[in-house]
Amino acid sequence: MILNNDHISEVFPSVFRIRINLPNNPLRFVNSYLVKGKERSLLIDTAFNLESCYDELSFALNYLNVDRKNLDLFITHIHADHIGLLDRFIKNSRVFMSNVEQEVVVEAIKHPDYWHLMNVFLLSNGMPKEILEGALKYLDLVYVQTYPSMKSDILENFKSIRDGEILSYGDLDLQGLLTPGHSPGHMCLYDEKNKILFSGDHVLFDITPNITWWPNLNNALKSYFDSLEKINKLKIELTFPGHGEPGKDIHKRIENIIRHHNKRLDEILSSLYDYKNAYEIAREIKWNLKYDKWEAFPKTQKYFALGETIAHLIYLKENNLVEEKVENEIILYKRAL
Ligand SMILES: [Zn+2]
C-alpha cells in the first residue's frame, strides 16, 4: 500500500492530517490528525475498525516517526468512522473524550442494545421493516460491530474531559469544547492562541453533518444550533474537520449550515397540512443528493434521511409549531393551529 503526500500532510507546524480511506462509504475519507509533542503526541480520531484503515493509519504513524508507546488518543465522538480503531491503539495510551460521550460509549460497549433503541424509534416513525433491515446489513458491519468487538478492559484507559478543560501537546493548548448535536457529547478542540479548531463532525465544509434523534439527546437540532452559536463566537482562522479539506471561514460556513436547517424546517412545516408520519415526510423532502427520486436512494441513505427528518420534527414540536399523535404505534405529526 502506498500513501502519497495527499494522505499525509503537515497542515500546521507539528500538526499532521492523515487522510484514511473509508471503503464503500459515500464519505470516502476520514481525517485523523496527529499533534506531535516532545514526549507524548496526540492522535485525534481513528477510522473504521477495518484492516485497511488500520494499515493506513499504522503506516502514517511509522512514516511520522511516532512511537506508539508515547501516543494518546482524543475521540471527537462515538461514530464508528472516528472511534473504530480504538482498541487497536489503546494499549499504552490514554483515551480522551468528553465526559458526556464517554457515558454513551460505555453504554454502547456494555449494552449493544443501545443501538436497538434507535431502530425501534425509526420503526415507530413509519420506516418499513425491510428498509431498516437492509440499512442495518451495512450499518451493522461498520457501526454496530465496532462496539461488541471492544473489550470492557479498555475502559480503564478512558479519561473523560469536561467542557473547557485543556490538553497540552507540543506547542498547542487544546481546549475541549462540548458541542452536542451530531452526537450527544461531541467535542471539538480549540487552540485560542493559534486560532485553530479541530471540529470533528460538528462543522464540515463539504457536507452538512447528519443530525438525528438519540436516546439521550431528544432535541438534537436545538442542541446543534446552540453548539454552532458557541463555536461561532470564537476567533478561528483555520478549521480541521473530520471529513474533507480544512476550512478558512468557519463563520460563513456556520451561517450556511444554520440557513440550510431553517430552510428544511420551513419545508417540513409547509407540508404538514395533515397528519403524516416522519417516513412519509422524508420521502417528500428535496434532499441534496445525486439520486433524482426517493425510490433510488440506497437504504442507508433512507435511514439517515429519516433520522434527519425526525430531528427537525422534534425541534418543531418543542417550539409548539407541530403537534403529534400516535396511531397504531406510529407517531404522526401535523402543523399546530
Ligand atoms: Zn464522521
Side-chain angles (χ1 to χ4, degrees):
M1 171 206 34
I2 294 169
L3 290 179
N4 57 30
N5 286 339
D6 280 359
H7 288 84
I8 306 170
S9 50
E10 190 168 20
V11 288
F12 195 80
S14 298
V15 177
F16 297 87
R17 173 193 181 202
I18 305 165
R19 203 178 68 166
I20 303 169
N21 283 284
L22 302 176
N24 305 319
N25 189 291
L27 290 168
R28 295 182 56 231
F29 303 101
V30 65
N31 296 321
S32 285
Y33 296 94
L34 178 77
V35 181
K36 254 192 140 176
K38 281 177 203 77
E39 283 154 27
R40 295 190 76 78
S41 297
L42 184 69
L43 181 70
I44 301 171
D45 283 344
T46 66
F48 280 141
N49 184 17
L50 293 174
E51 221 44 45
S52 67
C53 293
Y54 179 73
D55 288 347
E56 288 186 28
L57 188 52
S58 301
F59 177 93
L61 293 175
N62 288 340
Y63 182 86
L64 296 168
N65 284 322
V66 175
D67 180 349
R68 299 241 306 243
K69 284 204 267 316
N70 297 320
L71 184 67
D72 291 327
L73 266 64
F74 176 83
I75 301 294
T76 57
H77 66 291
I78 186 172
H79 284 145
D81 51 332
H82 299 260
I83 200 173
L85 286 169
L86 190 63
D87 64 343
R88 305 277 304 258
F89 280 90
I90 203 166
K91 210 165 158 220
N92 301 294
S93 304
R94 293 176 296 174
V95 178
F96 300 102
M97 65 186 91
S98 84
N99 55 319
V100 180
E101 203 74 339
Q102 185 177 311
E103 278 178 30
V104 183
V105 169
V106 169
E107 186 68 20
I109 291 176
K110 290 190 170 167
H111 306 286
D113 281 359
Y114 178 78
W115 302 105
H116 187 60
L117 293 173
M118 280 187 154
N119 301 334
V120 170
F121 194 63
L122 293 179
L123 290 172
S124 70
N125 274 282
M127 180 168 242
K129 242 188 176 156
E130 71 274 13
I131 304 280
L132 178 66
E133 280 163 8
L136 290 179
K137 256 188 209 159
Y138 174 75
L139 295 171
D140 271 356
L141 188 70
V142 291
Y143 282 78
V144 184
Q145 291 304 328
T146 296
Y147 288 92
S149 80
M150 288 188 185
K151 297 159 201 79
S152 313
D153 59 354
I154 68 172
L155 301 179
E156 289 166 18
N157 296 35
F158 280 18
K159 302 269 180 261
S160 70
I161 55 175
R162 291 183 179 274
D163 189 36
E165 265 186 63
I166 289 179
L167 300 172
S168 295
Y169 286 83
D171 292 330
L172 299 189
D173 294 316
L174 297 163
Q175 187 180 31
L177 296 175
L178 198 57
T179 42
H182 180 66
S183 73
H186 186 289
M187 190 169 252
C188 298
L189 289 175
Y190 175 54
D191 181 300
E192 191 180 6
K193 186 177 73 200
N194 294 298
K195 301 187 183 68
I196 60 174
L197 181 83
F198 295 90
S199 64
D201 282 2
H202 179 48
V203 178
L204 302 171
F205 291 83
D206 306 337
I207 52 167
T208 48
N210 182 256
I211 307 297
T212 189
W213 175 87
W214 291 78
N216 41 357
L217 189 70
N218 181 50
N219 193 350
L221 187 57
K222 164 82 170 80
S223 300
Y224 186 57
F225 280 146
D226 292 346
S227 298
L228 287 175
E229 296 295 350
K230 178 175 181 171
I231 295 300
N232 213 8
K233 289 193 185 113
L234 307 173
K235 288 197 171 68
I236 300 167
E237 290 177 354
L238 196 51
T239 302
F240 302 120
H243 303 273
E245 298 300 310
K248 289 221 166 73
D249 195 346
I250 192 171
H251 304 292
K252 192 171 149 209
R253 181 63 187 146
I254 287 174
E255 300 302 330
N256 283 339
I257 293 174
I258 292 173
R259 203 171 311 127
H260 160 84
H261 287 293
N262 280 330
K263 225 176 117 190
R264 181 146 294 153
L265 288 167
D266 284 346
E267 185 185 2
I268 291 175
L269 196 56
S270 63
S271 78
L272 281 179
Y273 43 86
D274 209 353
Y275 277 110
K276 290 178 195 169
N277 69 46
Y279 191 78
E280 290 167 330
I281 298 161
R283 273 179 12 196
E284 293 171 7
I285 290 176
K286 284 185 214 69
W287 297 100
N288 194 10
L289 292 170
K290 62 180 177 183
Y291 313 98
D292 55 357
K293 55 181 194 299
W294 176 261
E295 287 67 33
F297 282 26
K299 293 183 176 85
T300 46
Q301 289 292 351
K302 290 178 178 166
Y303 179 97
F304 291 123
L306 178 59
E308 186 94 17
T309 306
I310 293 168
H312 285 75
L313 285 164
I314 291 173
Y315 181 87
L316 290 168
K317 193 187 85 180
E318 296 294 320
N319 280 289
N320 300 318
L321 293 165
V322 156
E323 50 195 49
E324 69 168 43
K325 67 173 181 181
V326 178
E327 241 176 49
N328 303 324
E329 296 177 27
I330 304 287
I331 305 169
L332 303 173
Y333 304 88
K334 181 178 174 287
R335 194 176 179 141
L337 295 173

